[in-house]
């Protein structure tokens, strides 16, 4: 008898708990939606985003690009991601075009002044990745205007 | 639209609920500001920037304008470039914000609350041109290290604050004072609390100018977070990096300030000209002071196509660091001939000046409209890149736009 009463009581508690949890979950979803509503909407309407399989892999590569950082796929990619995108973004890496010597001196500067650790054998891997995938481009003293977006001028 | 308003009105308690902690001083959050813990990865929303602005770097945040976005006479926040060296302060407590003046050449160490600064000293408002020392870096060959700014790291907003001079004089300036150095509340990228991301400054002469402000307002409102809220040193006409953000300490130094990014190749150029790519020793580098003469065609946007029967009205701004711009000219034949633009006087010293011209084209075809400004000392912008330097500073080469006459 006592046992039965206990189970009855605990089932009630259990049910109440489930209701409380459900309410919490619903409220959280509503809150998150309100905070990010516009953003979610943008993604919904963008087929490119919704069809991408999000398999939860932070290092997935799509069309030769490491999605999280934008770095191109190549030998040494993950060494670069792991050592060069902690303090600053990968954009800073990609927009700087240097040869081997200047990359090494940049690494020394970061080690001396910016708390970059000793890269050991990874240094060669990193520098090789950079000079192979992001080599300097000769620009001369003044480049021609390019990527001009032509349009009709309205008064 | 309605939902948007609703989102904006998201209450502090709902934010607190999401963060999982009370937002201390939540009542002091600036309007429209969302705590960093909630900051959406969308920098345009986070910093209230126009979607046409260009992000160069997301850590630290660096963003530039495009020429046609800078057409306003006074640059609104949405078109103002962001240049950060470190992490934007995560907690800004305006109520308890203080500014301490110290240093070898300060007669005393004195601390002011923000309210004291505002009530004790007279307010002044100036339009001040701020240009990043590295604006135009992307054009240097061999490439120079750093954010690859094109032409958009410049702005001229209206700044309101107290004169740095008034505050320094209230503290007492020692007779051996040489320089002031600022310290801000931003954090080093490595999050090492013993490191400052940037701590630069100006010689006393610049510090004591009428237009050198400790500003708390930009364009009549609280300074936006990304631009130094609640207190920014603003010294127009010099590399914008001397206009320190989130200022909480200023040191009056008896020598050139030796803070972070005052030495090495940071904001310094070879004292004597060097060949492109040449190695330069530290001791042969000199700190950049006034920025060189420069101009930007802000209307029309490059790529305009129009009939030959119509003339083209161009507009833009010109500035010359500490100096005034004495003339602006344009060329449609790659510099063979130049014609004058109408040039306005600056709103005040160190404000950019507006120019305009009406251009007729002789035959149909492709043209480039080039603009060239000359400063009050007779120095004009070069059409080619100026002298190469290791970090790619001071590119003041002429700006040009492409047009097609049909």
């Amino acid at each position: 008898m006592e046992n039965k009463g206990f189970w009855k009581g605990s089932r009630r508690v259990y049910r109440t708990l489930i209701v409380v949890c459900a309410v919490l979950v619903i409220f959280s979803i509503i809150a998150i939606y309100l905070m990010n509503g516009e953003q979610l909407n943008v993604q919904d309407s963008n087929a490119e985003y919704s069809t991408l399989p999000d398999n939860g892999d932070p290092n997935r590569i799509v069309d030769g690009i490491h999605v999280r950082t934008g770095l191109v796929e190549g030998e040494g990619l993950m060494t670069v991601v792991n050592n060069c995108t902690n303090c600053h973004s990968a954009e800073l890496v990609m927009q700087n075009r240097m040869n081997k010597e200047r990359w090494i001196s940049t690494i020394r500067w970061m080690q001396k002044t910016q708390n970059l650790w000793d890269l050991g054998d990874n240094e060669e891997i990193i520098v090789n990745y950079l000079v192979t995938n992001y080599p300097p481009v000769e620009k001369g003293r003044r480049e021609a205007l390019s990527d001009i977006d032509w349009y009709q001028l309205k008064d | 639209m309605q939902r948007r308003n609703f989102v904006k009105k998201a209450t502090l308690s709902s934010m607190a609920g999401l963060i999982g902690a009370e937002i201390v001083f939540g009542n002091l959050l600036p309007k429209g500001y969302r705590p960093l813990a909630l900051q959406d990865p969308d920098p345009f929303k986070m910093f209230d920037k126009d979607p046409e602005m260009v992000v160069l770097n997301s850590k630290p945040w660096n963003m530039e304008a495009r020429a046609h976005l800078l057409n306003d006479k006074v640059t609104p926040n949405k078109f103002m470039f962001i240049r950060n060296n470190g992490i934007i302060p995560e907690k800004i407590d305006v109520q308890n914000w203080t500014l301490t003046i110290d240093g070898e050449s300060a007669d005393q160490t004195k601390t002011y609350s923000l309210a004291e600064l505002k009530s004790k000293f007279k307010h002044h408002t100036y339009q001040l041109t701020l240009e990043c020392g590295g604006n135009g870096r992307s054009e240097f060959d061999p490439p120079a290290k750093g954010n690859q700014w094109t032409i958009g790291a410049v702005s001229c907003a209206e700044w309101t604050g107290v004169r740095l001079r008034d505050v320094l004089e209230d503290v007492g300036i020692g007779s051996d004072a040489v320089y002031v150095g600022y310290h801000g509340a931003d954090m080093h990228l490595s999050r090492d609390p013993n490191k400052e991301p940037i701590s630069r400054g100006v010689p006393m002469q610049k510090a004591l100018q009428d237009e050198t402000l400790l500003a708390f307002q930009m364009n009549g409102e609280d300074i936006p977070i990304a631009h130094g809220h609640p207190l920014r040193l603003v010294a127009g006409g010099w590399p914008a990096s001397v206009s320190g953000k989130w200022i909480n300490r200023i040191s009056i130094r008896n020598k050139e300030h030796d803070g972070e990014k005052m030495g090495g190749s940071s904001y310094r150029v070879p004292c004597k000209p060097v060949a492109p790519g040449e190695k330069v020793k530290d001791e042969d580098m000199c700190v950049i002071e006034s920025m060189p003469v420069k101009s930007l065609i802000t209307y029309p946007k490059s790529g305009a196509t129009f009939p030959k029967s119509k003339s083209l009205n161009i507009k833009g701004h010109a500035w010359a660091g500490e100096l005034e711009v004495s003339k602006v000219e344009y060329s449609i034949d790659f510099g063979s001939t130049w014609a004058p633009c109408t040039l306005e006087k600056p709103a005040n010293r160190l404000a950019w000046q507006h120019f305009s011209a009406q251009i007729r084209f002789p035959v149909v075809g492709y043209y480039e409209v080039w603009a060239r400004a000359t400063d009050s000392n007779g120095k004009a912008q070069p059409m080619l890149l100026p002298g190469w330097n290791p970090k790619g500073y001071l590119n003041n080469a002429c700006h040009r736009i492409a047009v097609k006459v049909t």
Side-chain angles (χ1 to χ4, degrees):
Chain A
M1 284 303 276
E2 248 183 53
N3 231 1
K4 212 178 172 184
F6 170 77
W7 281 113
K8 242 186 197 167
S10 73
R11 228 177 288 148
R12 210 173 296 136
V13 171
Y14 201 34
R15 244 182 261 138
T16 316
L17 260 178
I18 288 175
V19 170
V20 168
C21 287
V23 167
L24 265 177
V25 165
I26 291 166
F27 267 100
S28 309
I29 290 170
I30 291 172
I32 289 169
Y33 177 75
L34 285 180
M35 301 305 300
N36 298 309
E38 285 163 85
Q39 219 184 321
L40 290 174
N41 248 7
V42 169
Q43 292 196 345
D44 285 345
S45 63
N46 193 331
E48 218 178 310
Y49 278 107
S50 50
T51 53
L52 266 184
D54 184 2
N55 52 14
D57 177 8
N59 291 317
R60 73 201 142 95
I61 287 167
V62 177
D63 298 333
I65 301 289
H66 182 249
V67 176
R68 180 161 59 90
T69 60
L71 289 163
V72 300
E73 188 178 16
E75 201 183 323
L77 167 69
M78 284 320 295
T79 313
V80 171
V81 170
N82 293 333
N83 289 281
C84 310
T85 62
N86 294 281
C87 289
H88 56 70
S89 71
E91 292 114 300
L92 193 62
V93 178
M94 288 182 272
Q95 60 181 309
N96 277 283
R97 302 301 182 103
M98 290 184 254
N99 60 22
K100 191 172 173 178
E101 185 197 0
R102 291 189 63 214
W103 269 119
I104 289 174
S105 86
T106 303
I107 288 170
R108 294 288 168 273
W109 171 79
M110 286 189 275
Q111 286 168 332
K112 207 169 117 194
T113 67
Q114 305 295 306
N115 289 2
L116 174 63
W117 44 87
D118 179 7
L119 294 167
D121 294 342
N122 285 336
E123 182 169 298
E124 199 182 333
I125 298 170
I126 291 169
V127 172
N128 281 342
Y129 171 88
L130 294 173
V131 296
T132 308
N133 296 291
Y134 298 98
V137 188
E138 279 196 20
K139 286 177 283 200
R141 202 88 202 183
R142 204 79 212 252
E143 278 184 298
L145 292 176
S146 56
D147 301 325
I148 301 163
D149 187 12
W150 294 107
Y151 65 97
Q152 281 295 331
L153 184 66
K154 311 231 163 57
D155 293 319
Chain B
M1 214 41 220
Q2 265 186 335
R3 190 167 52 81
R4 193 187 197 132
N5 285 335
F6 190 57
V7 171
K8 278 195 180 145
K9 282 178 193 154
T11 60
L12 279 170
S13 60
S14 75
M15 287 196 203
L18 285 175
I19 299 171
E22 188 75 9
I23 304 177
V24 185
F25 302 115
N27 56 326
L28 302 175
L29 286 178
K31 213 169 87 190
Y33 177 68
R34 304 171 74 190
L36 283 150
L38 289 177
Q39 270 178 12
D40 102 38
D42 181 346
F44 303 97
K45 275 193 212 165
M46 187 161 65
F47 301 125
D48 240 329
K49 297 293 175 188
D50 187 272
E52 282 197 82
M53 296 283 284
V54 180
V55 175
L56 296 183
N57 197 341
S58 57
K59 193 178 169 189
W61 284 111
N62 283 280
M63 198 188 268
E64 74 171 329
R66 299 161 70 195
H68 67 280
L69 300 180
L70 292 170
N71 196 43
D72 294 275
K73 293 195 164 183
V74 175
T75 313
N77 173 61
K78 64 178 174 175
F79 297 136
M80 182 182 264
F81 75 100
I82 298 178
R83 197 286 182 254
N84 286 328
N85 288 264
I87 300 166
I88 295 176
E90 288 168 357
K91 270 177 273 169
I92 294 174
D93 175 5
V94 178
Q95 220 66 358
N96 294 310
W97 192 274
T98 58
L99 172 75
T100 299
I101 310 287
D102 64 5
E104 307 95 344
S105 301
D107 286 351
Q108 57 175 322
T109 295
K110 197 166 175 179
T111 299
Y112 301 89
S113 69
L114 210 52
E116 275 175 313
L117 280 178
K118 289 183 186 177
S119 62
K120 194 167 177 174
F121 303 100
K122 192 165 179 264
H123 295 190
H124 298 270
T125 298
Y126 297 104
Q127 290 178 20
L128 299 167
T129 310
L130 293 185
E131 183 181 16
C132 175
N135 196 22
R137 174 177 294 138
S138 63
E139 288 194 285
F140 280 101
D141 184 27
K145 205 178 72 171
N147 288 293
Q148 298 296 302
W149 304 103
T150 64
I151 44 85
V154 62
S155 67
C156 184
E158 190 177 82
W159 297 90
T160 301
V162 299
R163 284 188 174 135
L164 176 61
R165 182 180 67 215
D166 291 347
V167 179
L168 296 182
E169 283 175 352
D170 187 60
V171 172
I173 307 167
S175 57
D176 60 346
V178 171
Y179 227 87
V180 296
Y182 67 73
H183 302 273
D186 44 345
M187 198 192 292
H188 193 266
L189 288 176
S190 65
R191 293 190 174 268
D192 179 344
N194 300 315
K195 278 185 171 296
E196 284 183 293
I198 186 162
S199 168
R200 305 197 64 242
V202 289
M204 287 315 293
Q205 197 195 357
K206 179 69 178 167
L208 300 179
Q209 279 182 1
D210 283 359
E211 301 84 3
T212 301
L213 298 179
L214 281 164
F216 35 79
Q217 283 198 327
M218 188 183 104
N219 297 337
E221 290 176 4
D222 280 355
I223 300 173
I225 300 281
H227 298 296
H229 176 77
L231 194 64
R232 179 170 192 177
L233 175 63
V234 186
W238 285 43
S241 58
V242 307
S243 295
K245 302 194 270 190
W246 314 289
I247 296 297
N248 53 26
R249 185 157 70 95
I250 288 181
S251 306
I252 310 177
R253 308 297 309 268
N254 61 5
K255 57 178 180 184
E256 186 175 276
H257 182 54
D258 51 2
E260 193 59 35
K261 305 221 171 176
M262 283 300 294
S265 54
S266 297
Y267 303 102
R268 304 206 306 167
V269 290
C271 305
K272 295 182 186 118
V274 299
E278 202 172 308
K279 276 209 180 107
V280 189
K281 289 196 204 101
D282 268 4
E283 60 264 33
D284 295 332
M285 299 281 276
C286 288
V287 178
I288 300 169
E289 300 200 329
S290 173
M291 293 293 286
V293 62
K294 199 164 171 179
S295 60
L296 204 53
I297 302 167
T298 56
Y299 181 87
K301 182 182 163 194
S302 187
T305 306
F306 52 92
K308 187 177 167 288
S309 59
K310 293 221 162 159
S311 57
L312 177 70
N313 292 305
I314 62 162
K315 287 181 206 165
H317 316 291
W319 59 98
E322 279 289 315
L323 303 172
E324 203 172 300
V325 176
S326 58
K327 67 173 173 183
V328 178
E329 300 156 293
Y330 73 86
S331 174
I332 56 168
D333 53 15
F334 303 95
S336 300
T337 59
W338 292 90
C341 296
T342 305
L343 177 67
E344 291 177 30
K345 280 279 180 192
N348 50 257
R349 215 177 72 80
L350 311 180
W352 67 17
Q353 294 165 246
H354 318 298
F355 68 84
S356 59
Q358 192 174 42
I359 310 175
R360 289 225 160 254
F361 293 83
V363 292
V364 299
Y366 171 90
Y367 293 86
E368 287 178 12
V369 180
W370 290 60
R372 181 176 74 176
T374 305
D375 71 23
S376 46
N377 283 349
K379 275 198 175 180
Q381 292 179 260
M383 289 182 73
L384 296 178
L385 272 272
W388 185 90
N389 60 86
K391 283 295 293 284
Y393 294 118
L394 308 180
N395 175 8
N396 66 335
C398 291
H399 179 233
R400 77 274 209 217
I401 58 167
V403 300
K404 243 183 228 174
V405 180
T406 54

